[in-house]
């Protein structure tokens, strides 16, 4: 036995010397070792299974969590043997416990029968010895299936698919940010300029951090709540955080088409005496319930749904919905089946006939998993809305007026996303509606100017009567005056009434104050930062590292439209971050948009939180340009 084997035998007494000789030989004979004789972590399961074919992915992954790696994402020879030693120790512990151990564990979890055990959906996700979280096994499986289907054949990550939906492999595959970036672009096309992503089979920790910066900041930009998620959490494979983020990204994609601009026929879902304005305030899941019930009523069915859990567990409403959407393929025969699991299976066979067996299984239907059933209904709407087109009559003048008067959408979207980044509660979906009671605005004031809100005087018990809402919004206007905001002619009632220009005015000044306050806190002198300070900083940085753009004089300088100045600023912040071969001349609108899109994704790669769209740069929207440059200046001064 070699001295190296003798050393390892002393270190791992549970392994026989001849076992160690075999393991060393097998490890050194692996074909995918790097130049320093280390094994990429991605190949660990395959290497272990070559020696011990019975080992499962999660079993090896769990053992690895107990090993301290000397190099990130690389398994050294000693560490490989330690994994094997842990696996074999676990085998001995399991044998000593016998079958009673598993039964005791089931009883501890409140599982009293084999049928209940098979329907169990919760897994424990241990990050380290001091923290544990639970994840839903069914959600992990269905979200993995979604990723496999959505990203199959992708030129950059197709070779990594399909991911096994029955293991924890998903959380390892998403650590480098590539799959999550692709998923964001699948749900919200062109959010990320993929030219900025670091690609390859092996990325350095720094490259993974850059990709994950893009993921986090792009997720914010499409409306995900990522207040407690950082790029390091993704790199460390924190299961509960990653699964939650994946659900938000998938949901945004599923909800993208539940929009009256894309489906004017949604107008048919308005109830008697309901205005279009009131209908548009409904969140997407409420509109889906309205759509579901519209078809149940059209089918002459006596039941209605008010949720995506208890009301669908028996599959009856689903069966009737499917038969109403596509009667030629989906019969009501499942209604005659008494066993709920079998009825759910028959209903899903109907869904399969119209290409919609996605996101749910008989188990998740009967268990009433709200996320997965919501996804199933959204998929049905996206593929078979089955609403009659509107007739061209004067009765729909209200809808026509709305469709042609959405000039405030982009600013309202950006400001709502910014408010959500402050972790306000509730989440802001529709700006003009969700801040009308003043509570979200007052939360924003208190976060930007701590202690400025006397919460004892705030009406917080929802729902609020109109006069109580106006008391709150008047308080917000008073706080704005105290901070020298320009609020001439704005009263609390204007905010409660959702007057677009006036709501945008106060929220914009809050956002601007937040940016300037951040910059002042990072300044060595701590002085108040002005617009001119930001312009001077941008001009100075843009001129370094070979920048060729002319200086700008204001945030509405026409030269900003080409995007080249902003790219020079970014390259001045970090030399080489901009690939000059990807920069266009910026002469045509398409070229300008390509540059703008590239600049936004690079900014996110550097860690900036950016809410503007490429169109805001091309059209030179000064407010949004200010937020862009302010965010860059903030991360540059850290």
């Amino acid at each position: 036995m070699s001295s190296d084997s003798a050393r390892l035998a002393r270190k791992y007494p549970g392994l026989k010397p001849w076992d160690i000789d075999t393991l060393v030989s097998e490890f050194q004979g692996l074909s995918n070792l790097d130049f320093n004789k280390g094994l990429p972590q991605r190949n660990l399961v395959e290497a272990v299974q070559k020696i011990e074919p019975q080992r499962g992915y999660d079993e090896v992954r769990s053992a690895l969590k107990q090993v301290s790696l000397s190099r990130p994402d690389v398994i050294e020879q000693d560490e490989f043997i330690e994994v094997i030693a842990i696996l074999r120790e676990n085998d001995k512990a399991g044998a000593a416990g016998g079958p009673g151990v598993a039964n005791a564990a089931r009883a501890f979890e409140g599982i009293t029968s084999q049928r209940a055990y098979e329907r169990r959906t919760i897994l424990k996700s241990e990050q380290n010895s001091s923290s544990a979280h639970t994840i839903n096994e069914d959600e992990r499986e269905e979200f993995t299936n979604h990723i496999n289907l959505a990203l199959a054949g992708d030129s950059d990550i197709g070779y990594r698919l399909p991911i096994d939906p029955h293991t924890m492999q998903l959380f390892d595959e998403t650590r480098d940010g590539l799959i999550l970036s692709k998923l964001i672009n699948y749900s919200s096309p062109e959010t990320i300029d993929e030219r900025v992503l670091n690609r390859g089979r092996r990325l350095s920790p720094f490259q993974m951090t850059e990709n994950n910066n893009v993921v986090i900041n792009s997720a914010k930009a499409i409306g995900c709540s990522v207040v407690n998620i950082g790029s390091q959490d993704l790199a460390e494979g924190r299961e509960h955080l990653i699964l939650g983020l994946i659900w938000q990204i998938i949901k945004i994609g599923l909800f993208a088409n539940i929009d009256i601009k894309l489906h004017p026929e949604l107008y048919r879902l308005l109830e008697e005496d309901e205005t279009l304005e009131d209908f548009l305030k409904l969140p997407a899941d409420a509109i889906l319930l309205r759509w579901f019930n519209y078809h149940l009523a059209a089918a002459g069915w006596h039941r209605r749904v008010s949720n995506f859990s208890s009301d669908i567990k028996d599959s009856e409403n689903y069966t009737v919905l499917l038969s109403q959407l596509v009667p030629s393929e989906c019969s009501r025969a499942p209604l005659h089946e008494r066993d709920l699991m079998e009825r759910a299976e028959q209903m899903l066979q109907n869904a399969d006939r119209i290409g919609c067996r996605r996101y749910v299984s008989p188990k998740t239907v009967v268990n009433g998993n709200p996320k997965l059933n919501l996804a199933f209904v959204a998929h049905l709407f996206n593929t078979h809305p089955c609403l009659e087109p509107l007739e061209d009559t004067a009765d729909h003048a209200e809808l026509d007026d709305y469709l042609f008067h959405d000039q405030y959408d982009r600013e309202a979207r950006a400001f709502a996303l910014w408010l959500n980044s402050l972790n306000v509660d509730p989440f802001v979906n529709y700006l003009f509606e969700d801040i009308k009671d003043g509570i979200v605005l007052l939360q924003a004031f208190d976060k930007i100017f701590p202690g400025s809100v006397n919460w004892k005087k705030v009406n917080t018990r929802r729902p609020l009567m109109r006069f109580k809402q106006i008391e709150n919004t008047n308080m917000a206007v008073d706080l704005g005056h105290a901070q020298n905001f320009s609020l001439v002619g704005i009263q609390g009632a204007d905010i409660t009434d959702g007057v677009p220009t006036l709501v945008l005015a106060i929220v914009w000044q809050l956002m601007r104050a937040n940016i300037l306050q951040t910059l002042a806190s990072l300044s060595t002198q701590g002085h108040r930062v002005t617009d001119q300070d930001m312009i001077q900083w941008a001009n100075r940085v843009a001129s370094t590292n070979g920048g060729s753009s002319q200086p700008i004089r204001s945030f509405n300088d026409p030269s900003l439209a080409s995007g080249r100045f902003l790219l020079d600023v970014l390259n001045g912040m970090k030399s080489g971050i901009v690939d000059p071969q990807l920069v266009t001349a910026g002469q045509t609108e398409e070229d300008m948009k390509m540059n703008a899109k590239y600049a936004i994704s690079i900014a996110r790669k550097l860690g900036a939180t950016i809410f503007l769209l490429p169109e805001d740069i091309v059209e030179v929207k000064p407010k949004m340009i200010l937020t862009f440059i302010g965010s860059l200046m903030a991360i540059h001064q850290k």
Side-chain angles (χ1 to χ4, degrees):
M1 182 171 65
S2 68
S3 59
D4 197 30
S5 296
R7 174 182 62 80
L8 291 169
R10 290 192 297 273
K11 189 173 182 180
Y12 306 113
L15 297 176
K16 303 297 183 184
W18 51 86
D19 286 336
I20 290 177
D21 284 338
T22 300
L23 292 172
V24 169
S25 175
E26 290 282 357
F27 183 84
Q28 293 178 351
L30 293 172
S31 61
N32 40 18
L33 300 181
D34 64 16
F35 291 114
N36 294 313
K37 302 298 182 183
L39 176 70
Q41 184 174 323
R42 182 184 302 281
N43 303 116
L44 173 63
V45 174
E46 179 186 358
V48 170
Q49 290 174 340
K50 184 177 180 182
I51 300 168
E52 301 189 350
Q54 77 278 14
R55 300 297 182 187
Y57 186 98
D58 289 350
E59 187 182 10
V60 177
R61 185 177 189 269
S62 178
L64 179 62
K65 281 180 173 287
Q66 302 174 54
V67 178
S68 297
L69 301 183
S70 55
R71 284 196 286 159
D73 302 314
V74 177
I75 314 297
E76 306 291 359
Q77 176 181 283
D78 285 21
E79 295 157 355
F80 179 78
I81 293 173
E82 184 178 356
V83 168
I84 299 294
I86 291 170
L87 289 169
R88 294 187 182 178
E89 283 298 319
N90 290 343
D91 290 344
K92 292 178 183 177
V101 173
N103 292 333
R106 293 186 189 185
F108 179 77
E109 295 178 19
I111 297 170
T112 57
S113 68
Q114 180 65 23
R115 183 176 178 85
Y117 180 74
E118 290 171 354
R119 288 175 56 183
R120 182 182 64 167
T121 61
I122 303 300
L123 295 175
K124 181 177 285 187
S125 160
E126 294 188 0
Q127 304 300 344
N128 51 54
S129 59
S130 62
S131 68
H133 301 271
T134 57
I135 63 172
N136 187 290
E137 182 178 13
D138 297 319
E139 291 170 9
R140 180 205 63 195
E141 180 177 338
E142 294 300 340
F143 297 167
T144 303
N145 288 334
H146 174 89
I147 288 171
N148 287 336
L149 184 64
L151 305 183
D154 183 273
S155 59
D156 295 318
I157 49 92
Y159 70 93
R160 292 158 61 175
L161 303 176
I163 299 168
D164 186 347
H166 305 294
T167 71
M168 304 286 267
Q169 183 184 358
L170 171 68
F171 307 110
D172 296 328
E173 296 293 347
T174 53
R175 292 173 60 240
D176 64 7
L178 275 174
I179 284 178
L180 291 177
S181 293
K182 301 283 187 176
L183 184 63
I184 287 173
N185 271 357
Y186 180 83
S187 287
S188 183
E190 299 190 352
T191 296
I192 297 172
D193 188 331
E194 294 185 8
R195 295 176 296 178
V196 309
L197 296 175
N198 300 308
R199 298 172 174 82
R201 291 178 181 257
R202 290 196 56 199
L203 300 181
S204 69
F206 178 74
Q207 290 174 315
M208 290 171 63
T209 297
E210 285 190 325
N211 282 353
N212 287 327
N213 281 341
V214 173
V215 170
I216 294 296
N217 289 305
S218 298
K220 289 180 186 178
I222 65 172
C224 296
S225 176
V226 293
V227 175
N228 297 314
I229 309 175
S231 59
Q232 192 61 29
D233 296 316
L234 303 183
E236 292 175 0
R238 294 189 177 274
E239 293 96 345
H240 68 293
L241 296 177
I242 293 172
L243 197 69
L245 178 60
I246 288 173
W247 165 239
Q248 290 189 75
I249 296 169
I250 291 174
K251 184 169 67 170
I252 284 168
L254 288 171
F255 285 2
N257 289 324
I258 306 173
D259 186 334
I260 204 162
K261 294 173 192 168
L262 302 175
H263 288 282
E265 61 272 22
L266 283 169
Y267 192 82
R268 294 190 176 280
L269 303 184
L270 268 69
E271 295 179 342
E272 188 176 356
D273 298 327
E274 183 179 30
T275 66
L276 178 62
E277 181 182 5
D278 289 335
F279 177 77
L280 293 172
K281 294 172 184 176
L282 295 174
D285 54 349
I287 293 176
L288 282 176
L289 288 172
R290 184 80 65 88
W291 171 78
F292 199 148
N293 287 325
Y294 175 88
H295 284 298
L296 293 180
W301 185 239
H302 64 284
R303 293 177 58 186
R304 299 292 182 269
V305 293
S306 61
N307 57 63
F308 296 100
S309 53
S310 60
D311 287 351
I312 51 79
K313 283 184 174 183
D314 62 9
S315 299
E316 287 187 356
N317 289 318
Y318 274 156
T319 298
V320 174
L321 173 65
L322 290 168
S323 70
Q324 179 67 16
L325 296 178
V326 190
S328 61
E329 296 291 339
C330 305
S331 74
R332 294 193 181 188
L335 295 177
H336 304 300
E337 173 59 54
R338 299 184 65 179
D339 182 85
L340 292 184
M341 292 288 279
E342 179 58 29
R343 185 190 299 162
E345 171 58 31
Q346 291 181 18
M347 178 274 294
L348 289 174
Q349 288 175 9
N350 277 345
D352 195 29
R353 293 187 186 97
I354 61 173
C356 290
R357 187 165 185 158
R358 297 275 306 276
Y359 304 110
V360 289
S361 65
K363 180 175 73 170
T364 53
V365 171
V366 173
N367 284 354
N369 183 296
K371 291 178 183 175
L372 297 179
N373 282 285
L374 170 61
F376 177 61
V377 175
H379 183 59
L380 285 174
F381 173 84
N382 289 330
T383 53
H384 298 83
C386 298
L387 294 171
E388 287 292 324
L390 297 180
E391 297 175 2
D392 188 15
T393 69
D395 293 339
H396 305 118
E398 182 185 23
L399 175 59
D400 293 339
D401 183 66
Y402 168 76
L403 294 176
F404 287 100
H405 292 83
D406 58 351
Q407 68 267 38
Y408 304 113
D409 275 9
R410 286 218 308 265
E411 275 191 35
R413 169 193 170 277
F415 294 166
L417 292 171
W418 168 74
L419 284 169
N420 289 330
S421 75
L422 299 179
N423 200 24
V424 295
D425 182 33
F427 194 85
V428 179
N429 292 296
Y430 182 72
L431 180 71
F432 305 118
E433 170 66 15
D434 294 344
I435 70 168
K436 73 176 186 179
D437 65 8
I439 295 176
V440 165
L441 271 183
L442 291 171
Q443 289 179 44
F445 269 106
D446 207 34
K447 289 174 184 290
I448 297 167
F449 308 106
S452 62
V453 178
N454 183 349
W455 286 102
K456 292 181 179 179
K457 295 184 177 180
V458 178
N459 303 303
T460 57
R461 187 171 296 177
R462 294 186 172 101
L464 296 176
M465 299 292 288
R466 175 178 165 80
F467 78 94
K468 292 289 187 182
Q469 294 178 347
I470 292 175
E471 285 180 356
N472 287 348
T473 51
N474 277 335
M475 188 183 302
V477 172
D478 290 342
L479 289 171
H481 284 302
Q483 298 298 331
N484 297 317
F485 287 6
S486 176
L487 301 174
V488 178
I490 299 180
Q491 299 178 358
D494 298 318
I495 298 169
T496 299
D497 291 339
V499 179
T501 54
L502 304 184
V503 169
L504 294 174
I506 190 169
V507 179
W508 157 243
Q509 291 180 79
L510 262 174
M511 185 177 184
R512 183 174 180 277
N514 185 212
I515 294 169
L516 297 180
Q517 189 182 75
T518 300
L519 294 174
S521 69
L522 296 172
S523 168
T524 53
Q525 294 81 23
H527 67 78
R528 184 179 179 85
V529 176
T530 66
D531 291 9
Q532 199 57 40
D533 291 331
M534 284 189 276
I535 290 168
Q536 289 176 359
W537 172 84
N539 284 330
R540 183 175 68 255
V541 175
S543 65
T544 61
N545 295 330
S548 58
S549 299
Q550 293 296 313
I552 61 170
R553 289 178 288 184
S554 68
F555 292 122
N556 57 9
D557 194 304
S559 66
L560 286 164
S562 72
R564 293 178 65 89
F565 176 82
L566 298 178
L567 288 167
D568 279 344
V569 172
L570 290 161
N571 202 58
M573 293 172 64
K574 182 178 179 182
S575 180
I577 193 72
V578 176
D579 183 345
Q581 294 185 337
L582 300 179
V583 180
T584 73
Q587 297 296 321
T588 67
E589 184 171 343
E590 183 59 30
D591 282 353
M592 292 177 184
K593 191 173 179 180
M594 289 292 289
N595 285 347
K597 183 180 173 185
Y598 188 38
I600 290 170
S601 288
I602 291 176
R604 290 173 179 153
K605 185 176 185 176
L606 290 174
T609 299
I610 303 296
F611 295 119
L612 86 172
L613 296 171
E615 291 83 356
D616 295 321
I617 295 175
V618 173
E619 296 171 18
V620 191
K621 299 289 187 183
K623 292 178 183 177
M624 304 313 297
I625 299 286
L626 182 151
T627 66
F628 185 83
I629 290 178
S631 296
L632 295 183
M633 187 175 176
I635 62 169
H636 193 239
Q637 291 183 353
K638 285 184 180 179

